[in-house]
Amino acid sequence: MISMFGLTGGLALLIILTIRGMNLFIAAPLCALIVAVSSNIPLISGEESFVTLYMSGFSGFIAAWFFMFLLGAIFGKFMEDTGAADSVARWIIDKLGFKQAVLAVVLACAILTYGGVSLFVVAFSVYPMALSLFKDANLPRRFIPATLAFGSVTFTMTSAGSPEIQNWIPIKYLGTSPFAAWEVSLVVAVFMATFGYWWLKRMIGRAVKNGEQFDVRAEDPKVAVRDYPHPITGILPLIIVLALSFYLHDSMAQLALIVALSGGVLSLMIINFQHFHNLSAAVNAGTTGALVAIGNTAAVVGFGSIAKHTDAFQQTVEIMTQIPGNELIGAAIAVSVIAGLTGSASGGQAIVLPLVGPHYVDQGVQPEQLHRIVSISSGALDSLPHNGYVVTTIRAICKETHKAAYPAMAALTVVVPLIGLCIAIALFSLF
């Protein structure tokens, strides 16, 4: 009982401190310490001590993602410093008009995500263009994180055919394909895309009517009009990243992103070398941004590493995987809850699937249906305030606060996927 109070209390405190803007290098270990003490985890001594478990999660995430964060941040800074992002943004505004600025950002994120580019990298890559588009259209910049997230972690991340890991983990346990239950997936994806975009536009429109505008900050990139390169010089590197990631994904898995981003960075340097204002400053800024982003995310991953080793977490997993009634509803609840506790969609799947997958299949549940439900449900409650992608996008990339940016992001990345999940369960139940 004490362990359960510690786990839920520690998670609640982490969410509260994150929303209030406390430094995650302090907040995450502090909350993890509360969870560890309440579960009688040794603080220092032993292979499963607080220090060992927390740092294994922290360092493991950095080891797995460092080069992707580094190259992604440098790519974004190069897009800013050369003026390529501004050039692409102005071209889009000229062709589509100011009213389509939000749509342009959503589509850019969706194309890159469905093309296999990591969610974190998409945020780094598209943010400079999003900033320029929102500036030119005079839209409140606090909606940029929600716009980036909507195009990345909703209708593309968990849809049939998506190369993102959230659509591939079930294959290992269920023997399905990435296109499992594609008919229902298509319906849900279309709903999430149309309803989510309508809601996003409504929120932004309401803010504009209330007098909100784009607020220029001192750290925003400043590029003179005469320095703008041709728009194609900003589009081509993005295409190179997308193409390399798409074609190398199957053979190189996550390493394909390193090659893809390296190609994007090199192509930007070659094509726009004469447009750099300060190459060394851009590299330094990108490196610093990458360290802050990956550090914040790793701090939260460390909390999840402690949480997974508590008795309360194991009890929660056991309870969630034995929910009576409709098996698809049980699987959806189990994955959603565990993903919320760990702050990770892939983590929720990897923990729950080995337990519920064979059990539900033996009871007659179609593997394709279970695959799609698990995939969609993993992309809802995982986007709570302490989620690594949420923290990185809001704080490290967009330089916003949770208080300002998270409500819109929660609407699009938690509420919309939950409604989509309900639609999927209903369709599977009817047909």
Side-chain angles (χ1 to χ4, degrees):
M1 183 63 71
I2 295 177
S3 178
M4 184 63 71
F5 279 127
L7 177 60
T8 55
L11 177 61
L13 181 61
L14 177 59
I15 292 174
I16 292 171
L17 294 178
T18 301
I19 292 175
R20 292 190 173 184
M22 185 174 182
N23 190 307
L24 284 171
F25 288 104
I26 304 298
L30 175 63
C31 295
L33 182 61
I34 294 174
V35 175
V37 170
S38 65
S39 297
N40 295 319
I41 295 177
L43 297 184
I44 298 176
S45 61
E47 293 184 0
E48 293 194 350
S49 67
F50 165 76
V51 173
T52 301
L53 290 175
Y54 186 88
M55 290 311 300
S56 65
F58 186 96
S59 60
F61 183 84
I62 292 179
W65 288 94
F66 174 74
F67 284 111
M68 277 70 83
F69 271 70
L70 177 63
L71 291 169
I74 291 176
F75 181 83
K77 283 298 176 183
F78 280 8
M79 288 283 286
E80 283 184 2
D81 196 71
T82 60
D86 282 337
S87 182
V88 173
R90 288 174 177 264
W91 179 79
I92 292 174
I93 291 295
D94 288 341
K95 297 296 182 181
L96 301 179
F98 290 103
K99 294 183 178 180
Q100 304 304 323
V102 175
L103 178 61
V105 177
V106 171
L107 289 178
C109 291
I111 292 171
L112 289 174
T113 302
Y114 207 78
V117 180
S118 165
L119 308 173
F120 291 101
V121 174
V122 171
F124 277 117
S125 302
V126 179
Y127 171 69
M129 184 183 74
L131 185 68
S132 295
L133 285 168
F134 271 64
K135 180 180 179 180
D136 290 343
N138 197 26
L139 301 176
R141 65 190 298 161
R142 68 183 178 92
F143 289 100
I144 293 179
T147 306
L148 295 173
F150 174 61
S152 302
V153 303
T154 56
F155 61 93
T156 53
M157 183 182 77
T158 60
S159 296
S162 173
E164 298 297 333
I165 190 173
Q166 291 79 5
N167 184 48
W168 282 71
I169 290 178
I171 298 174
K172 175 182 177 181
Y173 300 98
L174 302 175
T176 49
S177 77
F179 295 93
W182 67 267
E183 301 92 342
V184 169
S185 177
L186 179 61
V187 173
V188 173
V190 170
F191 164 78
M192 287 198 287
T194 53
F195 177 69
Y197 181 70
W198 171 83
W199 198 358
L200 175 60
K201 289 283 289 183
R202 182 180 175 83
M203 288 187 289
I204 294 176
R206 183 177 299 173
V208 171
K209 287 183 179 180
N210 290 335
E212 290 191 49
Q213 300 177 356
F214 184 90
D215 56 308
V216 179
R217 299 173 183 171
E219 66 270 19
D220 290 344
K222 297 178 177 61
V223 183
V225 176
R226 60 183 176 82
D227 290 332
Y228 285 139
H230 193 279
I232 193 64
T233 64
I235 296 174
L236 185 59
L238 286 172
I239 294 176
I240 290 175
V241 172
L242 178 62
L244 288 175
S245 176
F246 180 80
Y247 286 111
L248 298 177
H249 184 272
D250 289 340
S251 59
M252 300 182 66
Q254 189 169 294
L255 294 177
L257 282 175
I258 298 178
V259 177
L261 287 169
S262 298
V265 169
L266 290 175
S267 64
L268 264 173
M269 290 185 65
I270 294 172
I271 298 172
N272 283 329
F273 187 80
Q274 70 274 21
H275 291 285
F276 275 102
H277 278 192
N278 192 328
L279 178 58
S280 61
V283 172
N284 291 336
T287 302
T288 302
L291 291 176
V292 172
I294 198 170
N296 282 332
T297 308
V300 177
V301 172
F303 173 87
S305 181
I306 295 293
K308 286 187 291 185
H309 282 79
T310 63
D311 292 336
F313 186 85
Q314 300 306 321
Q315 293 169 8
T316 302
V317 171
E318 185 175 351
I319 293 172
M320 289 297 102
T321 53
Q322 294 179 1
I323 297 175
N326 187 297
E327 291 83 0
L328 293 180
I329 295 177
I333 295 174
V335 173
S336 297
V337 171
I338 302 305
L341 286 173
T342 58
S344 168
S346 56
Q349 289 190 27
I351 292 170
V352 173
L353 268 174
L355 301 173
V356 305
H359 174 69
Y360 284 159
V361 171
D362 289 343
Q363 290 187 342
V365 177
Q366 294 184 27
E368 291 77 14
Q369 294 184 2
L370 185 59
H371 176 137
R372 192 53 49 207
I373 291 300
V374 166
S375 181
I376 297 173
S377 61
S378 71
L381 293 186
D382 73 307
S383 298
L384 294 177
H386 66 294
N387 170 267
Y389 171 83
V390 172
V391 170
T392 297
T393 303
I394 291 178
R395 290 195 180 188
I397 298 177
C398 299
K399 304 297 190 298
E400 297 291 338
T401 65
H402 271 67
K403 182 178 181 180
Y406 185 70
M409 182 180 280
L412 298 173
T413 63
V414 177
V415 178
V416 171
L418 283 176
I419 298 175
L421 176 61
C422 293
I423 293 174
I425 293 175
L427 291 174
F428 284 135
S429 300
L430 292 174
F431 299 102

